[in-house]
Amino acid sequence: MTTNRPKTFSGVKPSGGLHLGNYLGAIKRWVDDQDRYDNVFCIVDLHAITVPQESAALRQQTREVAAFYLAAGLDPSRTTVFVQSHVSAHAELGWILNCVTPMGWLERMTQFKDKAAKEGDNRERISAGLFDYPILMAADILLYDANFVPVGDDQKQHVELTRDIAERVNRLHGGGRDILVVPQPLIADTGARIMGLADPTRKMSKSEDMPGQAIGIFDDPGDIRRAIMRATTDSDRTIAFDPNRPGVNNLLTIYQVLSGRSRDALEGQFAGKGYGDLKKEVATAVLDTLVPIQERCKALLAGPDLDEILRDGADRARQVANRTLDRVATAMGLR
Ligand code: TYM
């Protein structure tokens, strides 16, 4: 399925549970732009195990993320969908890139610094894999010659590292030509950083241990509505996009991405109305989107098609990935 369209690659970790931020910042955009690119989307289970996972839960969440991709609208006849660990070239290129990447580049990654800081001085609890995580991500992207990597704002630094690694491989081993494509992050103007509902100064994330902070994609509709109705706002009465008022700004942003309407139109719609009206509209928009997807997910998880689609996706991915791996391995004297 090769076309002349630019190539995209992206993925989601099957740990902690999918949340609305994953959908609005990444997966919805993959679906919306599906016809503009040649797409490869992955469920990155090898990234999930950088922190301890219970095996049955990991297996279940991997299938859930895959079902969600399809239920949200990715079409496996046009888009390759597969599980990272089913294609061994990811781990192999990851190792090779380990040997090309300076430690100092990894030490600058803010996501690792934040995660490590949560463990305090207890270095025994941080795996080498967590430190090395961005290199595996670089391998994911580079194996498919991706031109673009559609992600939320928090992954930008990792895609920039991927660019640095690709350029270094080309310089050190290309013998005057490019063996790896240097990718660009594709980050939306709206929705690339959805904030938590309870504490809108922090990014929405399932690992945050705060009730009402994240909307889980598979949460019960009643719980979703309640979390939105209880979202933290402020004492100002007007409804307007304003980064200094993170609660109302976030609710409007969620509504903007889901409705596809302009900021001016939304501010007009809510002129003279209260937070209760805004929250009701946001809850309805979120549920109108998520409930039908939840239904399709249930059917996919119960039926036989999902595993077949993932097997087929891995077969297609493997062919492309092995070619790139060979190219790099040959250039480095490993073939
Ligand atoms: P992950 O699994 O943490 O998140 C998946 C995608 O969701 C986006 N995202 C958000 N977008 C908006 N608002 C939020 N609050 C929010 N939270 C998460 C993320 O930016 C991401 O696009 N390292 C990656 C997975 C990965 C990957 C890759 C991505 C592995 N290999 C190769 C792209 C290309 C990660 O942990 O994403």
Side-chain angles (χ1 to χ4, degrees):
M1 226 184 4
T2 313
T3 66
N4 291 329
R5 289 192 284 255
K7 296 183 171 63
T8 65
F9 180 94
S10 199
V12 171
K13 264 190 323 267
S15 54
L18 281 171
H19 56 76
L20 188 66
N22 299 135
Y23 177 62
L24 298 180
I27 301 164
K28 181 176 189 303
R29 305 191 49 236
W30 308 348
V31 173
D32 291 347
D33 287 344
Q34 197 168 197
D35 290 326
R36 295 176 57 187
Y37 304 107
D38 248 0
N39 304 290
V40 180
F41 297 120
C42 184
I43 299 104
V44 292
D45 55 348
L46 295 174
H47 278 101
I49 60 167
T50 54
V51 296
Q53 301 292 335
E54 205 268 304
S55 57
L58 178 62
R59 206 171 296 124
Q60 167 72 8
Q61 287 180 355
T62 299
R63 292 187 87 244
E64 279 176 4
V65 175
F68 186 80
Y69 283 6
L70 304 175
L74 292 182
D75 171 4
S77 71
R78 290 182 284 159
T79 289
T80 302
V81 172
F82 73 103
V83 178
Q84 184 186 35
S85 68
H86 297 181
V87 178
S88 59
H90 289 252
E92 290 178 64
L93 184 63
W95 177 258
I96 293 175
L97 298 181
N98 265 327
C99 301
V100 179
T101 308
M103 288 272 278
W105 291 9
L106 290 177
E107 278 160 359
R108 286 199 287 273
M109 295 295 111
T110 52
Q111 200 164 63
F112 173 76
K113 284 197 269 192
D114 292 348
K115 284 186 182 166
K118 281 195 192 137
E119 298 297 342
D121 290 333
N122 196 347
R123 304 286 285 184
E124 293 294 315
R125 290 178 52 149
I126 304 164
S127 72
L130 189 65
F131 180 63
D132 201 30
Y133 176 114
I135 297 201
L136 181 59
M137 178 161 162
D140 298 341
I141 297 166
L142 297 174
L143 280 174
Y144 299 92
D145 292 337
N147 304 100
F148 296 109
V149 186
V151 283
D153 173 72
D154 62 346
Q155 296 300 318
K156 188 166 177 230
Q157 195 186 31
H158 291 160
V159 182
E160 280 162 359
L161 178 82
T162 303
R163 291 171 59 83
D164 291 342
I165 294 174
E167 280 166 0
R168 189 171 167 94
V169 169
N170 289 341
R171 194 171 59 248
L172 296 179
H173 300 288
R177 60 187 189 92
D178 285 349
I179 16 183
L180 292 172
V181 172
V182 181
Q184 286 178 44
L186 208 58
I187 294 172
D189 295 333
T190 308
R193 193 174 182 82
I194 299 295
M195 308 307 281
L197 296 179
D199 177 358
T201 63
R202 290 157 72 162
K203 171 181 88 159
M204 184 178 286
S205 144
K206 264 296 212 178
S207 52
E208 294 281 345
D209 217 4
M210 188 187 284
Q213 179 72 341
I215 293 190
I217 293 289
F218 298 108
D219 284 357
D220 173 76
D223 292 343
I224 294 179
R225 189 178 291 280
R226 260 186 301 281
I228 295 172
M229 294 310 292
R230 285 185 192 148
T232 302
T233 42
D234 53 43
S235 55
D236 205 320
R237 290 271 148 240
T238 54
I239 294 180
F241 283 94
D242 179 352
N244 295 317
R245 295 170 57 204
V248 67
N249 201 65
N250 191 42
L251 289 170
L252 279 170
T253 301
I254 293 172
Y255 194 53
Q256 190 188 357
V257 182
L258 288 172
S259 67
R261 301 179 64 199
S262 72
R263 286 171 168 234
D264 286 349
L266 293 186
E267 287 180 348
Q269 178 181 341
F270 291 107
K273 301 222 166 114
Y275 288 142
D277 301 305
L278 171 65
K279 288 175 175 177
K280 262 190 226 147
E281 287 291 332
V282 174
T284 302
V286 169
L287 292 174
D288 282 353
T289 304
L290 287 189
V291 171
I293 299 182
Q294 288 182 343
E295 303 285 316
R296 287 196 287 276
C297 274
K298 262 190 224 141
L300 279 160
L301 287 167
D305 294 350
L306 185 62
D307 297 308
E308 180 69 33
I309 288 169
L310 292 176
R311 239 190 322 273
D312 181 55
D315 287 345
R316 291 202 315 238
R318 203 172 286 119
Q319 290 179 27
V320 181
N322 284 344
R323 271 202 303 274
T324 312
L325 177 65
D326 270 344
R327 214 161 64 218
V328 178
T330 303
M332 292 184 67
L334 296 167
R335 294 279 190 277

